[in-house]
Amino acid sequence: MTAESMTERVVAEPAGPAREAAFAHALDVLRDRRDEFEAQRYVSRDFIALLKRAGMYRASTPTEFGGEPMAPADFMSMVEQISAVDPATGWVASFGSSLVYFAALPPASQATIYASGPDVAYAGGLFPMQEAEKVDGGYVCTGVWQFASGCMGADILGIGLAGGPDTAGKPLTALVDPADVDIVENWNVAGMKATGSHSVRADRLFVPDEMVFVRGGTPQIDEPITRYPGLAYAAQVLAVVTLGAARGALDYAVEVGAARTSITGGQVKGNRSFYKTGVARAEAELRSARAFFYDTTAQIWDKAVAGQPISSSDTAMLRLAATHAAHVGRRVALDVFDLAGTGAIYDTHPLQRYLQDAMVPAQHAMLQTGTYEAAGAVLLGLDAGIPSFP
């Protein structure tokens, strides 16, 4: 594997107005192409390039390797804005945060990955974790790994390997060149269609030791972005997609409800008691969950910047805020669907995108209902009962 093969040479615009304009342009393009991405079931590589120009794929690259790490709240705000246009594309963009995992690699390996620039798109098909054959200098990997979101536009892929006593039970991730594996296009789902979360297949692929790391392992680079809890961040970036989906749905409800006339000639929807009350309650729920989410993020980021210890309770609070955001966002999207009435059942209705996609994040293992219990256990000083939690 070479840096040349891993990294498409797309460079972020200079920080400031040029990068902000690049992000605004990407949102405009997405409004035009989101139906295309949903129909083909993946986000096209040329659109990933637009997100690179907006700085999203250097947002978790350490400064040591030319990155411009963003505060998690700032990065997730961008993901939220994308998700308000198209949640599935927001899900793919959220993996711009996942380069924090690479900090567990030897510094020389990280230097190889970023040799052609800090703007690297990564996708991981990590489950089921496969038992690889350990050989001199690396691992021989065979198997099929599911849920490789964004794999169709990735520069580098990760595959999951089972850990052992030397990793404290934590799984390993092996980094591979997309050209060395097969993408099995089997992403047939009702929600998050455009994420292209296909499977990855390898047959006796050798991966050198220096390109294998413990997921959630000790960072070898010490910067604020590598001090921030990596697994919690992985849950957060998925949860914020639901906040964006709910915002997109709610904005649509307000736009429709503010219309002056009804198609039937009767009272407009927005002037009906149930509609006004429903919009108000949904707005309050969404803003409350969002405030908890971002406030908790800011508190823990301040600790990371200051180099202060981040406790298990701190990390559990991040996980709790993420789970809550995913579940509240899903409920808000469903409540808006209820307000919309019969017309919303059609595939072509604007709310279908938000509804179908908003149902998915809370189904993710990192955000399922059981993580409420796990967070409560940690806050009470008890065993979480879930591996790698918090």
Side-chain angles (χ1 to χ4, degrees):
M1 178 188 296
T2 65
E4 186 74 27
S5 65
M6 287 190 297
T7 307
E8 182 178 319
R9 291 179 176 273
V10 176
V11 179
E13 296 291 339
R19 193 172 295 174
E20 293 168 6
F23 183 62
H25 174 64
L27 292 179
D28 287 340
V29 171
L30 182 58
R31 291 183 184 94
D32 291 336
R33 298 186 64 187
R34 56 189 176 183
D35 291 340
E36 171 196 337
F37 297 160
E38 182 168 336
Q40 69 187 16
R41 294 181 181 265
Y42 66 89
V43 177
S44 296
R45 180 176 287 273
D46 65 322
F47 187 80
I48 299 297
L50 296 184
L51 297 179
K52 286 182 179 181
R53 295 191 187 284
M56 297 198 72
Y57 286 95
R58 61 172 55 194
S60 60
T61 302
T63 55
E64 181 170 334
F65 303 110
E68 298 175 70
M70 296 176 65
D74 294 339
F75 176 80
M76 289 190 289
S77 175
M78 294 177 73
V79 173
E80 186 181 10
Q81 291 176 67
I82 295 169
S83 300
V85 178
D86 182 50
T89 301
W91 183 279
V92 172
S94 78
F95 291 101
S97 67
S98 59
L99 300 187
V100 293
Y101 292 139
F102 294 3
L105 285 165
S109 299
Q110 296 182 58
T112 297
I113 290 171
Y114 301 122
S116 294
D119 304 283
V120 177
Y122 166 71
L126 304 179
F127 300 99
M129 292 175 288
Q130 304 286 358
E131 293 283 352
E133 178 186 352
K134 186 68 178 78
V135 298
D136 186 34
Y139 296 81
V140 176
C141 306
T142 298
V144 177
W145 293 265
Q146 300 178 33
F147 307 118
S149 299
C151 62
M152 302 294 279
D155 302 314
I156 185 171
L157 296 174
I159 54 177
L161 308 181
D166 55 336
T167 68
K170 291 183 178 180
L172 298 170
T173 299
L175 298 182
V176 302
D177 189 325
D180 292 335
V181 298
D182 297 319
I183 303 297
V184 183
E185 296 189 36
N186 58 358
W187 188 237
N188 299 311
V189 291
M192 292 290 178
K193 296 175 185 176
T195 62
S197 304
H198 301 299
S199 295
V200 175
R201 181 172 57 211
D203 184 17
R204 297 199 59 78
L205 175 63
F206 175 75
V207 182
D209 285 328
E210 59 267 24
M211 286 296 173
V212 179
F213 62 91
V214 177
R215 186 167 182 254
T218 303
Q220 302 302 301
I221 302 295
D222 182 30
E223 295 186 11
I225 193 65
T226 63
R227 297 174 201 148
Y228 192 82
L231 292 179
Y233 196 15
Q236 286 187 287
V237 296
L238 301 181
V240 79
V241 171
T242 325
L243 293 180
R247 171 49 58 198
L250 191 49
D251 285 351
Y252 175 82
V254 170
E255 180 183 356
V256 170
R260 297 293 182 182
T261 59
S262 167
I263 191 172
T264 63
Q267 188 180 40
V268 296
K269 279 190 174 184
N271 206 30
R272 300 172 191 177
S273 177
F274 80 91
Y275 201 97
K276 289 181 284 190
T277 301
V279 165
R281 285 179 172 170
E283 191 71 54
E285 282 203 49
L286 183 59
R287 286 176 180 261
S288 297
R290 189 177 184 276
F292 174 36
F293 181 86
Y294 281 107
D295 181 62
T296 305
T297 300
Q299 289 180 32
I300 307 307
W301 176 246
D302 285 346
K303 287 190 171 186
V305 171
Q308 298 174 353
I310 296 174
S311 67
S312 294
S313 293
D314 289 333
T315 308
M317 196 63 74
L318 289 176
R319 295 294 303 270
L320 176 60
T323 294
H324 192 60
H327 286 257
V328 169
R330 177 167 68 175
R331 186 164 63 246
V332 166
L334 188 56
D335 287 347
V336 171
F337 176 75
D338 187 45
L339 292 176
T342 306
I345 68 174
Y346 287 94
D347 284 339
T348 54
H349 194 280
L351 281 179
Q352 281 296 327
R353 165 178 284 104
Y354 298 118
L355 177 68
Q356 292 178 30
D357 288 354
M359 297 297 108
V360 176
Q363 299 295 107
H364 194 280
M366 299 189 82
L367 298 168
Q368 286 177 359
T369 303
T371 54
Y372 272 115
E373 181 182 357
V378 173
L379 295 177
L380 290 166
L382 305 174
D383 181 69
I386 296 178
S388 300
F389 190 99

